[in-house]
Amino acid sequence: MIMNEIIIYLSVVIIVVFWCYFKWNNRHFEKLAARMPGPPSYPIIGTGYKFIGSQERIISQIISLVNEYKLDPIKIWLGPYFGVVIDKPEDLKIVLNSSKALQKGRMYEFFKNYAGEGLFTAPVDKWRIHRRMINPAFNAKLLEQFFPVFNEKNQILIKNVMKESNKTQAFDLWQYIAPTALDTICQTTMGYNLDSQSNNKECEFGEAIVIGTDLDAMRIYKPWLYPEILFSMYLKLTGQQRIFETVKQFPLQLIKEKKYEFDQKKKSINKKDITDNDDENQSKRFLDILFELKHDGGKLSDSDIRDEVVTMMAGGFETSAITVCFCLLMIAIHQDIQDKVYNEIYDIFGESDQTITIDDTTKLVYLEQVIKETLRLYPTGPLLLREIQEDLKIFSSDYVLPKGTTCVIALLATHLSPDLYSNPWSFNPENFSPENVAKRHKYSFIPFSGGPRGCIGSKYAMLSMKAVVSTFLRHFSVHTDVKLTDIKLTLGLLMRSVHGYPVTIRPRDRRPTYKWNQNQQG
């Protein structure tokens, strides 16, 4: 009896001491939190109770917080970690461009299960080195050379989706757009013909990426899964540990095959010729550049190459596929907008079968507005995290964010602000007319993040999306019974439609519609 009392007494003392230590270490956070608006917080789980439930409920709760607190910085506790949600463009510019906020938030550690320490998750020192090395893979000359691949994969898409033509039953765009995006990123950046559009067994990798990123993202909202041992137990209990094994296996196979090709090429070609040939240097793909860096003594290990390959394929495939699906769904819902987009396409290509070039994309002005409006309303990554490395004052208030603060960049809130966009929940490509863009702060629209750690593939993404959407609409008109208000959102790492992207299609007769003012064509 006495022993039990001693154990209970010691347990209480340990808990009290730990709690006091925690409160003391977080006193500067507590001081700021006392001055800020935000939802109530509780020990251990923080504000996590707000995000218990399905992924659909999580995005609903985030939107509710946006509506409740408008564009004010608000406090939250991510388990034991203090966070400040910011969404004013002036504050976003400060945080995203500050050398004090280049570090990704602690939660990005969760994504190392599949991405290792690629550009997405790398600590600042490593990110600086890798970003500088990888930048040449996205030079203008190389982007232009991607277009034959864009056209090849998009023609396969058209051939595959043709069987849905004139059917009355809707199909989900994702089942065709996702393999196209995966094959395109694989071929353009790795020089590897995955051919998942024809060979469905290879789609296991793409499916594993989607599930794996969602599993890791789930931990952000469930503090009890923060410890690795508890998350590992969760994966075993749910039988999902194989997901991350699948994500790792395919890149290793790809790297092994392409490394052999690279080594054979090195043996057969004089190194001096390669070095002196500017055209060949500029035409090297992403993976070639990584191999070249390692071969020439660069600080790049085998695991570094694997991490960057997974990061590039995951980031380039899933984000583009989601945006293209949302874009075509928006065009199907808004037939007047579809007419404008098609008329612009017709003015460029007419009734010819010529394939799209990089010069053609510059003429697709209205289509670019449509894609940007899609990204405004449905940004694939609606939340970003940065960890403040030194005290940082934000613009919109007298708040100084203490070192160690997790800064939650709520770009979804910014994109839906009625102060920045009239009728923010409606789909209106005119939001991105030159006149309207000029009226807004540059950081009112940041679908690819911003500042030094902005998305390295943003230009690639816009070009590839213009290519696939314009090609699709040259062959088919798109229709749906879905209304804008029917769309329900779900949030893992990325934001998607709960019920997919259901449409029907009809063949085009390749003639313009001209149901709108032709003078708007310019």
Side-chain angles (χ1 to χ4, degrees):
M1 190 69 177
I2 293 174
M3 182 58 71
N4 287 340
E5 290 177 355
I6 291 173
I7 292 172
I8 292 172
Y9 174 75
L10 286 174
S11 299
V12 171
V13 169
I14 290 170
I15 291 171
V16 170
V17 169
F18 176 79
W19 181 247
C20 291
Y21 175 78
F22 174 79
K23 297 293 279 186
W24 174 256
N25 274 354
N26 287 277
R27 63 192 183 281
H28 47 302
F29 297 136
E30 299 273 5
K31 184 177 179 180
L32 176 59
R35 299 170 50 214
M36 297 186 74
S41 175
Y42 298 100
I44 301 177
I45 64 170
T47 318
Y49 69 94
K50 283 277 188 181
F51 307 108
I52 294 174
S54 67
Q55 291 178 331
E56 183 178 350
R57 184 178 183 277
I58 288 169
I59 195 67
S60 297
Q61 286 293 91
I62 291 171
I63 292 171
S64 295
L65 287 174
V66 168
N67 291 333
E68 183 176 354
Y69 295 99
K70 306 302 179 186
L71 281 182
D72 288 327
I74 64 173
K75 65 182 178 185
I76 58 171
W77 286 90
L78 302 168
Y81 305 123
F82 177 66
V84 173
V85 181
I86 64 167
D87 41 26
K88 288 190 176 180
E90 299 82 0
D91 292 340
L92 297 176
K93 181 179 179 180
I94 288 174
V95 172
L96 290 173
N97 287 280
S98 174
S99 60
K100 302 175 183 178
L102 288 174
Q103 183 68 42
K104 294 288 186 81
R106 295 179 183 91
M107 309 303 172
Y108 283 77
E109 293 290 321
F110 300 155
F111 299 103
K112 291 183 179 181
N113 277 324
Y114 78 93
E117 288 193 344
L119 289 180
F120 178 60
T121 54
V124 175
D125 291 343
K126 188 171 187 177
W127 163 79
R128 280 196 177 99
I129 296 170
H130 284 208
R131 178 78 180 226
R132 188 167 56 250
M133 291 191 297
I134 292 171
N135 267 334
F138 292 92
N139 66 69
K141 185 175 180 63
L142 187 54
L143 289 174
E144 182 177 356
Q145 293 173 352
F146 288 158
F147 273 77
V149 178
F150 291 166
N151 288 318
E152 177 191 346
K153 303 307 178 186
N154 291 340
Q155 289 304 318
I156 296 172
L157 165 67
I158 299 305
K159 179 182 176 182
N160 288 344
V161 82
M162 187 72 74
K163 62 176 174 281
E164 305 289 351
S165 183
N166 286 327
K167 289 184 179 179
T168 56
Q169 184 175 357
F171 68 95
D172 188 352
L173 282 163
W174 179 261
Q175 63 183 300
Y176 295 100
I177 300 298
T180 303
L182 183 57
D183 284 358
T184 302
I185 193 72
C186 231
Q187 185 82 45
T188 52
T189 61
M190 311 298 162
Y192 185 92
N193 186 18
L194 180 62
D195 198 22
S196 64
Q197 290 173 283
S198 309
N199 186 2
N200 288 328
K201 69 177 182 180
E202 294 284 13
C203 281
E204 186 180 3
F205 171 73
E207 292 169 3
I209 284 287
V210 173
I211 297 170
T213 54
D214 281 355
L215 282 170
D216 283 338
M218 171 194 68
R219 297 175 71 187
I220 295 175
Y221 314 108
K222 301 183 186 301
W224 50 92
L225 291 179
Y226 284 6
E228 284 296 330
I229 187 170
L230 294 181
F231 185 60
S232 295
M233 290 172 61
Y234 172 82
L235 291 178
K236 288 178 181 177
L237 288 171
T238 56
Q240 297 183 99
Q241 69 270 26
R242 62 177 182 80
I243 295 296
F244 295 103
E245 295 168 6
T246 301
V247 172
K248 293 174 183 176
Q249 285 170 359
F250 172 68
L252 291 174
Q253 172 197 333
L254 183 155
I255 291 167
K256 183 179 179 180
E257 290 183 22
K258 302 309 290 185
K259 181 65 166 61
Y260 176 77
E261 291 178 15
F262 175 84
D263 290 339
Q264 293 301 113
K265 185 177 179 181
K266 276 291 183 185
K267 290 177 182 177
S268 62
I269 300 178
N270 183 282
K271 184 178 179 181
K272 184 177 184 299
D273 292 340
I274 296 176
T275 303
D276 292 344
N277 191 328
D278 289 339
D279 288 339
E280 185 157 351
N281 278 333
Q282 288 180 328
S283 67
K284 287 175 183 172
R285 291 184 173 89
F286 169 78
L287 190 53
D288 295 328
I289 288 173
L290 297 184
F291 288 149
E292 194 76 53
L293 288 165
K294 181 173 171 53
H295 180 272
D296 292 343
K299 295 180 179 179
L300 209 63
S301 67
D302 291 340
S303 62
D304 288 336
I305 293 176
R306 189 208 74 86
D307 293 347
E308 296 299 354
V309 166
V310 173
T311 297
M312 193 60 60
M313 287 199 293
F317 137 65
E318 205 177 350
T319 53
S320 293
I322 291 171
T323 301
V324 169
C325 287
F326 267 125
C327 183
L328 288 172
L329 183 60
M330 292 301 101
I331 287 171
I333 293 171
H334 302 88
Q335 289 293 311
D336 57 331
I337 291 174
Q338 181 168 178
D339 289 341
K340 293 181 184 180
V341 173
Y342 180 70
N343 288 338
E344 180 179 69
I345 293 169
Y346 185 87
D347 281 352
I348 297 169
F349 300 104
E351 298 177 21
S352 74
D353 291 321
Q354 71 183 74
T355 54
I356 190 169
T357 66
I358 195 168
D359 290 335
D360 294 328
T361 61
T362 63
K363 303 170 190 174
L364 293 169
V365 177
Y366 189 71
L367 175 56
E368 182 169 321
Q369 290 180 211
V370 171
I371 293 173
K372 286 182 175 179
E373 177 68 353
T374 303
L375 286 165
R376 180 192 69 82
L377 204 54
Y378 305 107
T380 51
L383 300 174
L384 308 171
L385 304 178
R386 293 287 186 273
E387 185 179 323
I388 307 301
Q389 300 298 294
E390 296 178 32
D391 291 0
L392 179 66
K393 188 179 188 304
I394 54 178
F395 180 84
S396 64
S397 64
D398 61 351
Y399 298 138
V400 175
L401 307 183
K403 176 182 178 180
T405 300
T406 297
C407 197
V408 181
I409 296 166
L411 61 93
L412 179 63
T414 308
H415 288 184
L416 294 176
S417 167
D419 295 334
L420 300 171
Y421 300 94
S422 58
N423 301 316
W425 288 96
S426 64
F427 187 81
N428 179 18
E430 290 306 314
N431 282 321
F432 292 94
S433 67
E435 299 78 14
N436 287 328
V437 169
K439 296 174 186 175
R440 292 192 302 269
H441 193 286
K442 180 182 177 182
Y443 280 73
S444 298
F445 177 68
I446 50 168
F448 300 107
S449 184
R453 288 203 84 156
C455 176
I456 193 173
S458 57
K459 290 182 180 178
Y460 172 96
M462 284 301 296
L463 289 174
S464 65
M465 289 189 291
K466 279 186 176 183
V468 69
V469 173
S470 62
T471 302
F472 198 98
L473 293 179
R474 286 173 72 183
H475 290 83
F476 305 107
S477 61
V478 196
H479 309 269
T480 187
D481 292 330
V482 172
K483 298 180 178 62
L484 201 62
T485 52
D486 295 333
I487 296 173
K488 306 300 179 186
L489 302 172
T490 179
L491 179 63
L493 173 61
L494 304 176
M495 191 168 73
R496 305 184 188 86
S497 168
V498 172
H499 303 298
Y501 313 88
V503 299
T504 58
I505 57 173
R506 301 170 196 160
R508 290 263 184 206
D509 62 6
R510 298 290 183 91
R511 288 180 294 179
T513 56
Y514 290 121
K515 294 179 182 177
W516 60 301
N517 184 354
Q518 261 184 281
N519 292 327
Q520 288 181 261
Q521 293 282 110

